[in-house]
């Protein structure tokens, strides 16, 4: 209630209040002989008729609404803690420069992955939205992110320019835009500039380690960087062994041009390691992994602040060298340096899964997948991790999600999908799944064998079916097929041939087959785990006795 004697409406700005009735005293004094008489509620509010009462009520409610609205507008929006960097648009007009635009997109994403408090979607997933006609809020909802960065990249002569804008996808509100322009030799610093600028805009608090990592940008030979981007593009888009060889050649070319270019060594390490675990295996583990180790060590020699370099070394130590303490140290360092990198998270998931730390492994695998939800290998890693933890229902569900994303992917029908069905005695589904896996293998022998295996199942049941595949795998291994000894051992165990399974596991150990590293946790050998030879093999690989 306003006191009329010392404060006027004019002093508050009468134009804002000209429709508001002036307040009156709460009591009326009529004369000395009369006692003060309490007024009715409408009279206390200065209202002497129903019409004015209604008007006052509307005004009061209106003022309340204005106050609530102002408070809402002045309230800060929820913080941004997850983003997607959409594929940078190539402004050069040259389709041959697409690798450069895509490579720069991936490089910028990698810079964001150094920030632990920010979840950034990986390159493999965001590339699905290249040239997409979906709105930004639609894309953000599908990726479950708060904000989206979209932009352009243009290279001309010795200079490169990136234009970026940050959009709050929850309200489709433009927050910030900036152009970054540098000499090609400073392109690594440019990538870090983008990450630091966005972090400042969304008020992320960076740790000293994160600030040091983002500031760790060194000059680079533009020709070496160009070859490196080609290699990343080829590694991300490879189809078959030839694609991996092309990536290896590009990374080696980058290293020839600049011997101390650490990111190129990381790419080379990851490409070599992938040849050992490609579908069917294109290079033996004992041949590919020492090359991967050498490249990872070279990367760390030139730059020990690269999280993915530590992860690449940890990967080799886990899947080939079996040096568990060193592997743990490397994957932990990788996580400290690049906590949001899906490959770093995957390396941690693999190590802890193999060591039997299943809850931690599942957490890392889920976090890796959350940053790369459309990448089939990330989902396969989660399915592996769940399988090794004996969480069969969830492992099968993840395999079926792979089939939904790509019905023709071998990953949807491999042993992650087979084992839960076999353990549950769902033999018809198990046979269909295993047959489909062989139909999708690049070998025509495997495709034809699936039909014959089905006949064996119909004639002799599950025992005859397992016997057929055991004999098939023995023939393949004797022809020198890569990584086959481990899978022959799996087939032998399924067929109930314990001695044969142990013999083939010995051979897989001698050849350092890629999958022998999971021997301590894979459910395929649960029935023979207590055998003395099996326990002796675990000790030689170096697993702790517990």
């Amino acid at each position: 209630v306003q006191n009329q004697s010392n404060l006027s409406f004019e002093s508050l700005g009468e134009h804002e209040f000209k429709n508001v009735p002036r307040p009156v005293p709460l009591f009326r004094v009529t004369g000395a002989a009369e006692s003060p008489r309490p007024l009715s509620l409408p009279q206390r509010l200065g209202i002497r008729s129903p019409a004015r009462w209604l008007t006052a009520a509307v005004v009061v409610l209106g003022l309340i609404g204005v106050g609530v609205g102002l408070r809402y507008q002045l309230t800060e929006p929820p913080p941004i803690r997850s983003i997607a960097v959409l594929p940078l648009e190539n402004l050069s007009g040259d389709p041959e420069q697409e690798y450069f635009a895509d490579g720069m997109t991936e490089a910028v994403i990698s810079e964001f992955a150094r920030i632990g408090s920010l979840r950034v979607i990986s390159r493999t997933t965001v590339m699905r939205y290249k040239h997409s006609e979906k709105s930004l809020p639609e894309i953000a909802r599908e990726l479950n992110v708060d904000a989206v960065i979209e932009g352009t990249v243009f290279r001309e002569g010795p200079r490169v320019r990136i234009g970026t804008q940050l959009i709050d996808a929850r309200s489709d509100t433009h927050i910030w835009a900036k152009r970054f322009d540098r000499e090609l030799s400073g392109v690594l610093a440019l990538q870090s500039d983008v990450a630091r600028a966005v972090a400042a805009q969304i008020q992320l608090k960076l740790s000293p380690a994160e600030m040091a990592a983002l500031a760790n940008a060194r000059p680079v030979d533009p020709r070496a960087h160009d070859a490196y981007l080609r290699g990343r593009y080829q590694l991300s888009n490879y189809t078959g062994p030839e694609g991996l060889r092309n990536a290896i050649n590009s990374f080696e070319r980058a290293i020839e041009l600049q011997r101390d270019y650490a990111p190129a060594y990381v790419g080379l390490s990851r490409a070599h390691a992938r040849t050992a675990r490609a579908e069917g295996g294109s290079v033996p583990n004992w041949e590919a992994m020492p090359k991967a180790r050498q490249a990872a060590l070279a990367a760390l020699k030139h730059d020990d602040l690269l999280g993915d370099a530590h992860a690449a070394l940890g990967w080799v130590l886990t899947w080939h060298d079996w040096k568990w303490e060193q592997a743990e140290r490397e994957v932990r360092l990788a996580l400290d340096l690049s906590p949001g990198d899906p490959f770093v998270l995957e390396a941690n998931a693999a190590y802890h899964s193999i060591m039997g730390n299943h809850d931690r492994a599942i957490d890392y695998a889920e976090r890796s997948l959350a940053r790369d939800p459309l990448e089939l290998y990330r989902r396969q890693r989660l399915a592996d991790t769940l399988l090794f933890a004996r969480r069969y229902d969830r492992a099968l569900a993840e395999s079926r999600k792979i089939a939904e994303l790509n019905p023709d992917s071998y990953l949807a029908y491999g042993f992650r999908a087979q084992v839960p069905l076999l353990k549950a005695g769902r033999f018809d589904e198990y046979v269909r799944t295993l047959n489909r896996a062989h139909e999708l293998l690049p070998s025509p022998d495997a495709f034809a064998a699936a039909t014959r295996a089905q006949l064996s199942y119909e004639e002799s049941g599950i025992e005859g079916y397992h016997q057929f595949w055991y004999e098939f795998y023995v023939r393949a291994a004797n022809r020198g097929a890569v990584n086959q000894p481990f899978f022959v051992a799996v087939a032998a165990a399924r067929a109930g041939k314990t001695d044969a399974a142990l013999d083939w596991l010995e051979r897989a150990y001698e050849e350092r087959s890629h999958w022998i590293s999971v021997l301590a946790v894979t459910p395929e050998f649960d029935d023979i785990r207590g055998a003395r030879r099996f326990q002796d093999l675990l000790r030689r690989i170096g697993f702790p006795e517990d």
Side-chain angles (χ1 to χ4, degrees):
V1 178
Q2 180 174 319
N3 187 330
Q4 291 178 321
S5 63
N6 56 25
L7 187 63
S8 68
F9 278 89
E10 287 78 10
S11 67
L12 294 176
E14 188 172 6
H15 65 283
E16 295 179 352
F17 298 92
K18 54 187 175 183
N19 293 322
V20 180
R22 295 177 183 270
V24 296
L26 292 180
F27 290 89
R28 182 189 300 112
V29 181
T30 59
E34 297 180 325
S35 300
R37 179 162 46 91
L39 303 180
S40 66
L41 180 60
Q43 289 172 327
R44 292 179 190 180
L45 297 176
I47 302 169
R48 298 180 177 84
S49 70
R52 295 190 66 186
W53 166 257
L54 180 61
T55 301
V58 170
V59 169
V60 170
L61 291 174
L63 289 174
I64 292 173
V66 169
V68 171
L70 287 173
R71 181 175 181 179
Y72 177 79
Q73 292 179 17
L74 294 174
T75 301
E76 292 187 4
I80 291 172
R81 292 297 177 263
S82 56
I83 62 171
V85 181
L86 296 185
L88 298 175
E89 183 182 355
N90 172 26
L91 292 186
S92 69
D94 181 5
E96 294 296 322
Q97 293 297 314
E98 284 299 311
Y99 77 91
F100 186 83
D102 289 353
M104 288 297 295
T105 302
E106 187 173 7
V108 170
I109 290 172
S110 296
E111 292 299 309
F112 282 114
R114 297 174 183 261
I115 303 173
S117 58
L118 184 68
R119 179 171 65 87
V120 58
I121 301 299
S122 185
R123 179 250 184 222
T124 309
T125 291
V126 298
M127 280 299 165
R128 308 288 179 94
Y129 294 94
K130 190 171 184 177
H131 307 308
S132 173
E133 296 181 358
K134 293 182 178 181
S135 67
L136 293 182
E138 283 182 289
I139 294 173
R141 281 194 299 271
E142 292 179 7
L143 297 178
N144 190 30
V145 294
D146 301 327
V148 172
I149 295 174
E150 60 177 2
T152 59
V153 61
F154 180 67
R155 181 175 66 171
E156 184 178 31
R159 300 193 68 81
V160 61
R161 175 183 301 161
I162 292 180
T164 59
Q165 59 177 336
L166 177 66
I167 295 128
D168 189 328
R170 298 163 298 191
S171 59
D172 201 13
T173 302
H174 181 277
I175 299 175
W176 164 86
K178 188 172 182 178
R179 188 180 73 184
F180 300 84
D181 195 338
R182 277 184 180 264
E183 296 286 333
L184 275 169
S185 60
V187 68
L188 301 184
L190 181 149
Q191 295 160 187
S192 296
D193 289 346
V194 174
R196 285 199 302 270
V198 172
Q201 283 297 317
I202 62 178
Q203 300 179 2
L204 287 179
K205 293 183 178 180
L206 303 182
S207 69
E210 290 168 345
M211 289 188 289
L214 288 172
N216 185 43
R218 306 177 181 185
V220 60
D221 184 322
R223 298 171 302 162
H225 186 65
D226 187 81
Y228 166 70
L229 291 183
R230 286 184 185 273
R232 290 191 73 151
Y233 182 82
Q234 291 157 343
L235 184 60
S236 299
N237 296 280
Y238 84 94
T239 54
E242 183 178 356
L244 289 173
R245 284 195 295 271
N246 290 337
I248 289 171
N249 291 338
S250 294
F251 290 131
E252 288 178 340
R253 174 60 178 160
I255 292 167
E256 289 175 3
L257 292 166
Q258 184 171 338
R259 289 292 177 182
D260 64 347
Y261 190 24
Y265 286 103
V266 176
L268 183 61
S269 177
R270 294 183 62 179
H272 278 305
R274 189 167 292 182
T275 63
R277 65 184 178 112
E279 293 179 12
S282 57
V283 178
N285 211 43
W286 54 263
E287 179 181 332
M289 294 304 255
K291 296 177 181 177
R293 185 201 312 113
Q294 182 181 6
L297 289 171
L300 292 170
K301 174 184 176 182
H302 296 299
D303 188 350
D304 62 357
L305 291 180
L306 289 179
D308 53 357
H310 287 282
L313 180 57
W315 192 269
V316 177
L317 293 167
T318 298
W319 291 101
H320 179 267
D321 295 350
W322 308 328
K323 295 181 179 179
W324 308 116
E325 291 183 2
Q326 294 179 34
E328 181 183 19
R329 182 171 64 251
E330 292 301 325
V331 297
R332 187 175 63 248
L333 278 170
L335 197 63
D336 290 340
L337 292 167
S338 296
D341 188 319
F343 173 62
V344 169
L345 290 165
E346 182 185 0
N348 276 271
Y351 169 79
H352 286 288
S353 181
I354 288 170
M355 289 289 102
N357 305 323
H358 297 303
D359 289 339
R360 291 182 67 183
I362 291 170
D363 176 60
Y364 288 129
E366 288 176 337
R367 286 161 59 185
S368 176
L369 182 60
R371 287 159 173 78
D372 207 357
L374 299 182
E375 169 55 59
L376 301 185
Y377 280 100
R378 305 281 179 233
R379 198 167 294 278
Q380 179 206 31
R381 174 60 54 200
L382 177 57
D384 283 349
T385 307
L386 292 165
L387 182 71
F388 299 149
R390 307 303 192 270
R391 300 180 190 182
Y392 295 133
D393 289 344
R394 285 195 61 196
L396 182 59
E398 293 301 331
S399 294
R400 286 177 171 168
K401 288 177 184 177
I402 294 175
E404 291 173 6
L405 292 169
N406 185 352
D408 296 326
S409 171
Y410 169 83
L411 302 178
Y413 310 97
F415 75 87
R416 298 105 189 152
Q418 300 163 19
V419 172
L421 296 171
L422 182 59
K423 292 285 185 180
R426 294 157 62 177
F427 296 134
D428 288 348
E429 290 180 74
Y430 163 72
V431 167
R432 286 197 299 271
T433 300
L434 183 52
N435 287 349
R436 181 61 177 154
H438 287 87
E439 289 171 354
L440 292 169
L441 287 174
S443 168
D445 292 343
F447 183 90
T451 302
R452 298 195 298 272
Q454 180 65 35
L455 293 175
S456 297
Y457 177 61
E458 294 171 359
E459 294 173 357
S460 307
I462 196 66
E463 293 81 9
Y465 183 76
H466 282 150
Q467 178 66 28
F468 173 87
W469 281 121
Y470 168 65
E471 294 173 356
F472 174 84
Y473 278 119
V474 168
R475 290 193 297 270
N478 289 334
R479 291 197 303 268
V482 174
N483 277 333
Q484 283 299 330
F486 180 84
F487 293 111
V488 179
V490 169
R494 289 180 179 180
K497 301 179 181 298
T498 301
D499 289 340
L502 292 168
D503 290 341
W504 284 102
L505 284 175
E506 284 285 352
R507 182 167 165 180
Y509 167 79
E510 293 169 1
E511 296 183 6
R512 288 191 177 256
S513 175
H514 178 78
W515 287 106
I516 197 71
S517 296
V518 305
L519 188 62
V521 291
T522 183
E524 295 283 4
F525 302 109
D526 283 351
D527 292 339
I528 64 174
R529 195 168 299 281
R532 182 184 56 80
R533 290 175 61 192
F534 191 92
Q535 291 297 317
D536 180 63
L537 190 58
L538 290 178
R539 282 191 292 271
R540 280 183 281 153
I541 293 175
F543 288 112
E545 291 189 7
D546 58 351

